Amino acid sequence: MAKQINLNADMGEGFGEYDIGDDAGLLKIIRSASIACGFHAGDPVTMQRLVTEATAQGVSIGAHPGFNDLWGFGRRRIDMNPRELEYMIAYQIGALQAMACYAGERVTHLKPHGALNNMAAEDIQLALAIGRAIKTVDRDIIYVALAGSAMEKAGRELGLPVAREGFCDRLYDDDGNLTSRKIPGAVLHDPEVVKERVVNMVLNEEIVSRNGKPLKVRLDTLCVHGDEPSGVIVARAARQGLEAAGVRIVPLPEMTLG
Amino acid sequence: MAKQINLNADMGEGFGEYDIGDDAGLLKIIRSASIACGFHAGDPVTMQRLVTEATAQGVSIGAHPGFNDLWGFGRRRIDMNPRELEYMIAYQIGALQAMACYAGERVTHLKPHGALNNMAAEDIQLALAIGRAIKTVDRDIIYVALAGSAMEKAGRELGLPVAREGFCDRLYDDDGNLTSRKIPGAVLHDPEVVKERVVNMVLNEEIVSRNGKPLKVRLDTLCVHGDEPSGVIVARAARQGLEAAGVRIVPLPEMTLG
Amino acid sequence: MAKQINLNADMGEGFGEYDIGDDAGLLKIIRSASIACGFHAGDPVTMQRLVTEATAQGVSIGAHPGFNDLWGFGRRRIDMNPRELEYMIAYQIGALQAMACYAGERVTHLKPHGALNNMAAEDIQLALAIGRAIKTVDRDIIYVALAGSAMEKAGRELGLPVAREGFCDRLYDDDGNLTSRKIPGAVLHDPEVVKERVVNMVLNEEIVSRNGKPLKVRLDTLCVHGDEPSGVIVARAARQGLEAAGVRIVPLPEMTLG
Amino acid sequence: MAKQINLNADMGEGFGEYDIGDDAGLLKIIRSASIACGFHAGDPVTMQRLVTEATAQGVSIGAHPGFNDLWGFGRRRIDMNPRELEYMIAYQIGALQAMACYAGERVTHLKPHGALNNMAAEDIQLALAIGRAIKTVDRDIIYVALAGSAMEKAGRELGLPVAREGFCDRLYDDDGNLTSRKIPGAVLHDPEVVKERVVNMVLNEEIVSRNGKPLKVRLDTLCVHGDEPSGVIVARAARQGLEAAGVRIVPLPEMTLG
């Protein structure tokens, strides 16, 4: 049976007059969109447009909740009580669910944004809080989690469907964490390098760390980015490489999750 | 068959550390709560608490969306494009639907807040925009509309269930509009006066205007307020007066709407 | 003695990760910058950068306050009490004054943004509220006002220095108001047309309306825009045309105001 | 020569319709007010009212900047880049300076709010960032710093006037830090206990820790709180105790700072 993988990207991270990222370009490449829900970015108009455009491209819709921090674009760590975080996530899921009605679609996955994603990958209490929000609002929503993170653990503990995420365009440390963006070269821009890496990730279930150490990892979804100029080119390379290697690229709800 | 009426109130209009109104007191009197959805007031924590407390009292849950104006408490008129307004309303409905999951309940009505309520009562384009949001997200949600307003018209045109609203504690002008709060005496504080008026409203389908003119009007729901110190006392008087007159006070979803 | 005129533009209208307009390009052309103050756009980091960059180019610094409406970019009309508006303007002036300290400069003019500019041009109560804020915080700040508007009147009534503003790239109606952006052709993109118009405005104190009617008007400052791709090209044409006609382009504080 | 001390309190921590704390009551007791500047609380209208009321009572005006976190009331730790924090503080100082013009007064001190105060007390980089904002905007502004904290150090390093702060109504740990509010009894409500403690603090320069250890400390200002019901009573007791012991209570600008 052919290997399959999902490609996802963050989307709709504009606000009012502002726009970031080449959403239209990425929607032709990815199969699942994580849409900003109004707290770190995204407004109701942007959200409505994205759910409609994603659906038109056969791209599945996910929530991309973040901290209540438009100025910092959700990249500042905010020390929230897990209970307050949980309700904040539930709120954002619901807001996107309503917008998804405009496309006659459902919200089928959730991936936290920015600093929240980083914190929840490390902190089981935060990861559980996000998971409880999912479970309360719609227990069929797939919890997209950095492979091996506290989020993966929390999702499994709560009995939620979990998609283990890898990153097409990021270096990894030896312990499986993403290399900090502050380290030069942490973000990959060379389409050929990316192509080779993603094929290795999916076919061999292996990521080579920045020190050359092979890490064994099973992934369900690969993240690409649209906020850098090279984003769409890198994303297209990833997709082409995978397809050339015989891998099927499918929306998250069509993945068989472990 | 006994006459029936609903009593509703605005709720959850605090924000973070801030609180306004005696929600706990009103929840024992009313049968439907219109809960602020985070734009003019309300935050995810407050919303979660209110849906839980309302449900515990058998009070039905409605959305109380407002303008994106925390500073002005949604009382400043904002000139929004109907399309943008529509999506903003859908967003707020969805957010509250998610919180309602914490109580295992559904959002069953919607009533706009403050300046938005006033504007939509007058402007059919805004009233329709709100109605389209309801229709897209959940067409069973009851559109609570000032009796005779553009909102009532819009709701009927869109085929939505409509609840015609009257106000227990407000004077009316001869044309059926509420007397402006700027006019002295526009808000009623005397429980006995209120008691007599609401019984007349429900049994005789009549409101006497501030100039003594009798206005014929059929109402499905009566609004009480909790943000003034006399609010709970006036609300209790309204309920007692109605019950003494043999009127059944029911949640909005149990009303037979015209 | 040579004619003189000021060229101004709105600046710093980004927010956090977001950016709009070619500020660096315009700073080489204009002589006065109206900097967003955090309500409709602008954050402390953006503001600090703009005051520093403007000062490095010899461009004078002005406040560009707007409504508290990041989502609508200050383009939605908000019905504010004049007293509340006044304090909101004072707040924004002060915030920019503090940032101007980073460049060792002062805030020397103020121009309202978007819907607030439109409303204050028509409504003397709002125009006076803005003027009182200026007068309270620093009565030497120049009130930039659409020539002939309620703002010009309010500024003169309060004894403030007033700079009458014209628009390089906009059509005018016969009554001297700007042609609505909704009318096709209301915004001029042809550098040669703009060049001819601005020279006529300054040398002959005349604007030809869109119906061909010559309007007599004395102007102290001309506004250019950077938020459309053609903005910098049009601005450069305006400046070159004026300089070729022997007009001196000076910062607002160097203008002799009528 | 008589001992002197300042009494300060946080003020103006309402927002729009919302209000917290008994500002009017405290203004009769304290001599310096730290006024919220619009980020964690406070809006232009509230700020204008507070500077006017404070001045009418002879109370000096200070800035009380906080994180951009209205929902969390500035009590959530936010991980900000020191440079961004610095500009955010400068912005808030400037905003209050403008409002102070309505009272013909100057902003004469600054005290960070909530989580920012806690973080800057521990982290010299944040403490220096706040200090640089003060130094840039007005180097005469007194930096109110928890005695012995990184803020005191930063203020001295930058050559700013520093007022060492103690707390009337809080327990201290043996190391001189405030006992966490999570520990029962950390906040003192008994006026007699408070009275005795503050006299000991000022006359003997000694605070007894919660374990009974005497801590030597020189203080310039004592903080009282108005957000708990007992606040005004405790504040009044502190003032009466100090005056009965012959201590002069003066505004911060009249203090001789070490």
Side-chain angles (χ1 to χ4, degrees), chain C residues 165-252:
Chain C
E165 185 177 36
F167 288 79
C168 292
D169 56 359
R170 294 290 299 275
L171 282 188
Y172 280 74
D173 291 336
D174 289 358
D175 62 1
N177 281 318
L178 294 178
T179 299
S180 165
R181 282 173 183 267
K182 294 171 188 165
I183 307 288
V187 178
L188 304 170
H189 300 288
D190 183 334
E192 291 309 310
V193 170
V194 167
K195 195 181 284 191
E196 189 184 342
R197 281 175 71 84
V198 296
V199 171
N200 193 37
M201 284 183 196
V202 176
L203 292 194
N204 307 323
E205 299 182 349
E206 182 184 279
I207 301 174
V208 179
S209 83
R210 65 184 176 113
N211 296 317
K213 182 179 163 190
L215 308 164
K216 298 308 289 183
V217 62
R218 300 189 60 166
L219 300 174
D220 304 302
T221 182
L222 292 172
C223 180
V224 296
H225 292 99
D227 49 355
E228 306 215 17
S230 63
V232 173
I233 295 164
V234 163
R236 195 178 296 120
R239 175 156 176 166
Q240 289 171 343
L242 291 165
E243 289 183 329
V247 178
R248 287 184 57 229
I249 318 289
V250 299
L252 271 169

Side-chain angles (χ1 to χ4, degrees), chain A residues 13-20 41 43-45 70-71 73 75, chain C residues 13-20 41 43-45 70-71 73 75:
Chain A
E13 297 195 314
F15 194 79
E17 288 298 301
Y18 302 119
D19 213 353
I20 266 184
D43 62 81
V45 175
L70 201 59
W71 177 18
F73 199 61
R75 289 180 177 155
Chain C
E13 296 195 316
F15 193 79
E17 287 298 301
Y18 302 120
D19 211 354
I20 266 184
D43 63 80
V45 175
L70 201 59
W71 178 17
F73 198 61
R75 288 179 178 156

Side-chain angles (χ1 to χ4, degrees), chain B residues 13 35-41 63-70 73-76 78 80 85 88-89 92 110-117, chain C residues 71:
Chain B
E13 295 195 313
I35 299 176
C37 299
F39 276 52
H40 77 279
H64 192 46
F67 283 125
N68 187 27
D69 172 25
L70 200 59
F73 199 61
R75 289 180 178 156
R76 293 178 183 143
I78 302 183
M80 287 185 76
L85 174 63
M88 184 182 81
I89 299 299
Q92 294 185 51
L110 177 145
K111 177 185 166 182
H113 170 81
L116 177 58
N117 200 45
Chain C
W71 178 17

